Amino acid sequence: MGNARNIAFWVVLFLLILALFNLFSGGQPNMSTRTVSFSDFVEAVDNGEVSTATIDGERVVFRDETGTDFVTILPDGVDVTDRLIENGATVNARPQEQSGFTTVLMSFLPFIILIGVWIYFMNRMQGGGRGGAMGFGKSRAKLLTEKHGRVTFDDVAGIDEAKEELEEIVEFLRNPQKFSRLGGKIPKGALLVGPPGTGKTLLARAIAGEAGVPFFTISGSDFVEMFVGVGASRVRDMFEQAKKNAPCIVFIDEIDAVGRHRGAGYGGGNDEREQTLNQLLVEMDGFEANEGVIIIAATNRKDVLDPALLRPGRFDRQVTVPNPDIKGREKILGVHARKTPLGPDVDLRIIARGTPGFSGADLANLVNEAALMAARVGRRFVVMEDFENAKDKVMMGAERRSMVLTAEQKEKTAYHEAGHAIVGLSLPKCDPVYKATIIPRGGALGMVVSLPEIDRLNWHKSECEQKLAMTMAGKAAEIMKFGEENVSNGPAGDIQQASSLARAMVLRWGMSDKVGNIDYAEAHEGYSGQTPGFSVSAHTKEMIEDEVKRFIDEAYQTAKSILEEKEDEFERLAQGLLEYETLTGDEIKRVIKGEPLDRGDDEDDEPTQGSAPSVTAIPKTKPRSKPTGGDGGLEPEPTA
Ligand code: ADP
Ligand code: ZN
C-alpha cells in the first residue's frame, strides 16, 4: 500500500502543476498582446489612435488603427470610458462580476476539485474507507460502535453452553492484568462453529458489549481478492488496527473463505488464498495473548478448515453454536418478543414446538413478520393468528395472490403438488405433510410443506431416498396426468433440489456402496467450480455421476409407482386443491378419503385457524433450505 499511496501522490502532484501552469497562462489569454503603461494608453486615446477598447475590470484591451491589440491596467478608481468615447473609440465592457469574485473562483476551481479528490483518496487510504481502487491493502474491518446498539448476553438466548464457554473471554477482557498476574492462559482465538443464523455474530458482539471493548468485524471473503498479496496485506493491516485498539474483539465471519485446507483439492491453484492464510497464521502467532486482542471466527464448515488454524495458540477454543432446540427456540422468541405487545392467546411454547429447524435468525424474522401482520390490520398487539401467518410466510415466502394463473397452469400445479403430497404421505420416513397450497408464494407456483415431528439431527439413507422420491413426485405426477410432452418448467426447482441431495448422499455421506465412504465433496467442488479438481480419475467422476443419476431415477420410479397405485387419492387431492387452494395436513387426509371439509363458505378466504393451537401443534421444517416439494419455480409468464 505504500506503493499505491506513492503513485497517488505523484499523480496528484503532476495534475497540480498542470493546473498551476494553466492558471497562469490562462491569466494572459493572448501571450502576444503587448502590455503598455497606462500613460501610454491615455496618450494613444487622446491622439485618437484607439479604435476599440474592451474594459474588463481593471484590464483594458485596446486596438489601434493598425489593428494591433494592446493591454493596459487601469490604476485604482480611474474610469476611462468617457475619455474613450469622446475620442471616438468603440467601448465594450465585460459584465462586472465576470472580473471579480467569479473569475477568481473559476481559476481556482481546478485546484479545489483536485484538492478535494486528493483528500478523498487520502482518507480512503487512511483506513476508515471501505477499500476500492486505491484501498487495496487496507483491511476492511469495520468497527461497530455503541451507535450500532450495544449487544449483551441478555440478547442471546437458547445457546447457553456456548455462552458459558465464552464467559471467560469477557472476564479476561474486563480485567486482563488479573489474568496475567495469575499466569492464566487466555485463548487468542475462538472458533464458533454452526449453521447460518444461529447467532454467532450476535454472540461475538455480545462478548464485546459485555466487556465494553471495541468490536471489529470482517468477512473472510473480504480477504480473497484477485491480486496476489492483497489479502495478506489486509490481514496485516487488520491486526495492526486491532493492536492499536486493544483490548478489542476482531470477528472474522466465514473464515472458511480464507481458511480452507491448503493444497488439497486445488492443485497448486490458489496462491493468493494460501498467502492470506499463511499471513493469518503468522499474525496469530505473532502476538501475545495478553495484548488483549481476541480473534473470534465463525464458520459452518469446520471440516474444510486447514488444521493449522486449529492448533494451540490459534483458534484453539472451539465452540459449537447449534440450531436451538425447543426450549432454546422459546427463549429466543422471548428475547425478540420483548418489545412486542402480545395478545393473551399467544403461547410462545406452542410456537417453539411448531418451529423445529428454525434458526435464531428465522425466529427473529418470525416475530418481526408477525408484528407487521398485526400492524397491517391495525391491531395494537400480536395474536396467535399473526404468528401462524408469519410462520407460513417465513417458511414458504409471501403469498402472491395478485399473480394471475391460467386455468391450465392452476390445474398443472394442483396435480404437481398433489403428487408431492401423496408420495410424502405414503412413505413412512417422510416428514408429515403440514400444508399444501397452489397459491403462488415466493418464487413458487405452489408447494407442499412437510415438517419433522422432532428436531432432526441426522439423516439415514432410507430417509434420504424417500425424501428424494417425494421431491421427484411432482414431475412424475405431471407426466402421469398430462403426458411427457406437456411437462411444465415447474419441476425445475425439484430437480435441482433432488440433485443436490443425491450428490450429498454420494459425495459426502458415503451412501452409495459403489462409490464408498470417501468424501469426494471437495474434489467435486473442484471440478464443478472454477478451480481444477484434484486427483479424481475420469472413471471415478463417471461413477459418481452414475450413482447420483441412479438415486434420482430410482426415486422417480418409486414416486411413479406410488401415484399409479393410489391414482384415486391422487385425483381427489388434486381436485381438492383446485377447489380450496390451500389445505392443511389434516384436511389433506380428509380430502383423500373423500370426506367433506367444513370450511366456512367463501371459496377463497384463508382457512381461519381460530383454533390455531391444534394446527400449530403439528411441527415443522428445515427452513432456509426450500420446503419439501416447494415448486422452486420459474416464474410463469403472467397471463392476462
Ligand atoms: P450467524 O452469525 O450465526 O449467521 P447472526 O448472529 O448474524 O447469525 O444472527 C442473525 C440474527 O438472528 C441476530 O441478529 C438475532 O437477531 C437473531 N438471532 C440468531 N440467533 C439468536 C439467538 N441465539 N438469540 C437471539 N437472537 C438470535
Ligand atoms: Zn414440485
Side-chain angles (χ1 to χ4, degrees):
M1 31 130 202
N3 264 346
R5 194 178 298 188
N6 275 343
I7 293 169
F9 175 80
W10 286 115
V11 168
V12 172
L13 195 68
F14 175 75
L15 291 176
L16 268 178
I17 290 171
L18 210 70
L20 267 179
F21 186 76
N22 259 333
L23 181 74
F24 284 114
S25 59
Q28 238 100 339
N30 188 349
M31 296 288 264
S32 63
T33 311
R34 249 186 68 205
T35 307
V36 298
S37 71
F38 180 64
S39 32
D40 287 348
F41 166 66
V42 173
E43 202 184 310
V45 173
D46 290 345
N47 294 344
E49 289 164 10
V50 175
S51 57
T52 62
T54 304
I55 302 173
D56 180 3
E58 59 178 6
R59 266 166 52 98
V60 180
V61 179
F62 63 94
R63 182 167 294 177
D64 66 9
E65 63 276 50
T66 67
T68 317
D69 282 341
F70 297 89
V71 178
T72 192
I73 305 296
L74 300 181
D76 242 7
V78 174
D79 187 3
V80 288
T81 318
D82 293 341
R83 197 173 198 144
L84 279 162
I85 292 171
E86 276 163 27
N87 288 289
T90 315
V91 178
N92 303 310
R94 289 267 175 81
Q96 189 58 35
E97 74 271 67
Q98 189 72 15
S99 63
F101 178 67
T102 318
T103 322
V104 176
L105 192 72
M106 291 301 279
S107 45
F108 278 102
L109 201 61
F111 277 114
I112 294 169
I113 291 173
L114 267 176
I115 290 169
V117 169
W118 191 351
I119 290 172
Y120 174 72
F121 276 121
M122 282 307 173
N123 248 348
R124 278 171 82 119
M125 285 189 284
Q126 265 6 297
R130 304 219 50 215
M134 313 292 284
F136 281 141
K138 277 292 169 184
S139 91
R140 298 187 183 182
K142 266 185 306 193
L143 176 65
L144 290 192
T145 54
E146 305 263 306
K147 286 205 297 282
H148 298 86
R150 194 168 107 100
V151 175
T152 67
F153 276 153
D154 288 343
D155 299 306
V156 187
I159 37 176
D160 296 340
E161 286 155 40
K163 241 164 37 176
E164 267 163 37
E165 287 196 61
L166 295 166
E167 210 121 73
E168 191 194 22
I169 295 182
V170 176
E171 276 303 306
F172 164 71
L173 286 170
R174 275 195 191 140
N175 197 349
Q177 296 84 4
K178 184 178 110 193
F179 270 77
S180 39
R181 249 202 326 271
L182 298 174
K185 212 171 159 322
I186 284 302
K188 290 179 187 174
L191 182 68
L192 307 182
V193 184
T198 45
K200 299 182 291 299
T201 312
L202 193 70
L203 205 48
R205 280 185 73 182
I207 295 171
E210 288 283 333
V213 302
F215 178 75
F216 291 93
T217 168
I218 191 164
S219 167
S221 53
D222 288 343
F223 292 120
V224 184
E225 287 281 334
M226 265 180 304
F227 301 105
V228 174
V230 172
S233 87
R234 279 202 183 133
V235 170
R236 221 176 298 123
D237 282 334
M238 182 186 80
F239 276 86
E240 244 168 53
Q241 214 177 330
K243 281 181 204 161
K244 261 186 240 151
N245 287 283
C248 69
I249 301 255
V250 175
F251 179 68
I252 307 178
D253 206 358
E254 298 171 38
I255 192 159
D256 38 302
V258 259
R260 275 181 181 251
H261 208 312
R262 282 169 295 183
Y266 290 89
N270 205 329
D271 276 355
E272 161 62 358
R273 214 199 52 237
E274 279 190 19
Q275 269 196 19
T276 309
L277 176 55
N278 285 335
Q279 187 65 37
L280 185 64
L281 296 175
V282 167
E283 292 285 349
M284 289 213 60
D285 293 342
F287 71 91
E288 292 302 318
N290 56 23
E291 283 181 54
V293 177
I294 303 249
I295 315 287
I296 299 180
T299 182
N300 62 343
R301 299 281 319 266
K302 191 189 139 198
D303 51 316
V304 303
L305 290 185
D306 196 291
L309 271 174
L310 309 177
R311 268 191 218 129
R314 293 165 184 167
F315 295 104
D316 45 7
R317 174 99 22 137
Q318 283 157 43
V319 179
T320 309
V321 187
N323 268 331
D325 59 9
I326 178 166
K327 276 219 194 83
R329 290 195 295 274
E330 189 182 339
K331 285 190 204 144
I332 294 174
L333 286 167
V335 165
H336 289 279
R338 268 189 311 217
K339 289 185 211 102
T340 315
L342 300 179
D345 67 332
V346 173
D347 185 341
L348 295 182
R349 180 167 315 169
I350 291 174
I351 303 171
R353 204 189 315 151
T355 47
F358 269 45
S359 68
D362 294 327
L363 293 167
N365 191 8
L366 177 71
V367 173
N368 186 43
E369 285 294 341
L372 288 179
M373 301 226 169
R376 203 170 300 151
V377 294
R379 230 183 284 110
R380 272 178 295 108
F381 46 86
V382 182
V383 299
M384 204 63 170
E385 199 191 324
D386 297 321
F387 278 103
E388 274 302 316
N389 293 335
K391 196 169 105 184
D392 282 358
K393 183 165 174 198
V394 172
M395 264 165 31
M396 315 197 265
E399 273 190 13
R400 292 169 63 194
R401 283 177 177 275
S402 59
M403 195 154 101
V404 187
L405 297 188
T406 60
E408 188 204 352
Q409 277 169 330
K410 240 174 140 172
E411 200 190 1
K412 226 173 235 178
T413 308
Y415 279 92
H416 179 111
E417 302 308 335
H420 285 306
I422 294 287
V423 172
L425 285 169
S426 309
L427 293 171
K429 300 223 162 131
C430 283
D431 296 325
V433 172
Y434 163 80
K435 220 165 230 189
T437 179
I438 56 166
I439 295 172
R441 267 182 185 272
L445 292 187
M447 65 183 63
V448 171
V449 180
S450 56
L451 307 173
E453 228 136 31
I454 41 154
D455 295 335
R456 211 187 254 291
L457 295 174
N458 50 21
W459 291 83
H460 296 287
K461 185 177 173 186
S462 56
E463 288 160 353
C464 290
E465 284 170 342
Q466 299 192 359
K467 190 169 174 199
L468 264 185
M470 180 173 173
T471 308
M472 293 308 294
K475 183 169 183 191
E478 283 193 42
I479 290 182
M480 189 169 144
K481 182 73 192 172
F482 304 103
E484 185 91 49
E485 63 290 350
N486 289 318
V487 177
S488 69
N489 60 8
D494 295 343
I495 290 171
Q496 194 183 16
Q497 207 179 332
S499 313
S500 65
L501 176 57
R503 285 226 164 83
M505 290 166 71
V506 176
L507 289 167
R508 296 180 51 197
W509 302 335
M511 289 180 182
S512 151
D513 299 333
K514 247 182 163 171
V515 172
N517 292 311
I518 300 168
D519 183 344
Y520 283 110
E522 192 147 335
H524 179 78
E525 278 165 32
Y527 70 72
S528 66
Q530 317 86 329
T531 25
F534 74 105
S535 54
V536 177
S537 66
H539 168 71
T540 308
K541 282 184 199 171
E542 212 181 299
M543 187 171 68
I544 289 171
E545 289 305 321
D546 282 351
E547 284 294 277
V548 171
K549 184 163 182 299
R550 186 176 61 83
F551 274 126
I552 293 177
D553 287 348
E554 282 177 12
Y556 178 82
Q557 289 307 328
T558 308
K560 191 172 162 219
S561 52
I562 290 173
L563 289 178
E564 278 163 4
E565 188 187 316
K566 308 202 165 172
E567 197 174 348
D568 295 344
E569 298 186 2
F570 171 45
E571 189 67 34
R572 278 199 287 271
L573 181 54
Q575 291 304 325
L577 277 172
L578 278 172
E579 185 176 346
Y580 298 105
E581 296 193 326
T582 297
L583 296 171
T584 64
D586 288 339
E587 288 170 336
I588 290 172
K589 287 186 185 133
R590 296 172 62 182
V591 167
I592 287 176
K593 286 188 215 134
E595 292 170 16
L597 294 188
D598 40 309
R599 286 269 183 101
D601 28 3
D602 3 41
E603 346 69 81
D604 150 305
D605 256 10
E606 190 74 339
T608 333
Q609 292 152 347
S611 52
S614 67
V615 179
T616 340
I618 311 168
K620 280 264 126 166
T621 184
K622 274 175 88 188
R624 297 226 166 184
S625 67
K626 278 220 178 92
T628 315
D631 241 309
L634 299 154
E635 311 235 346
E637 321 277 340
T639 329

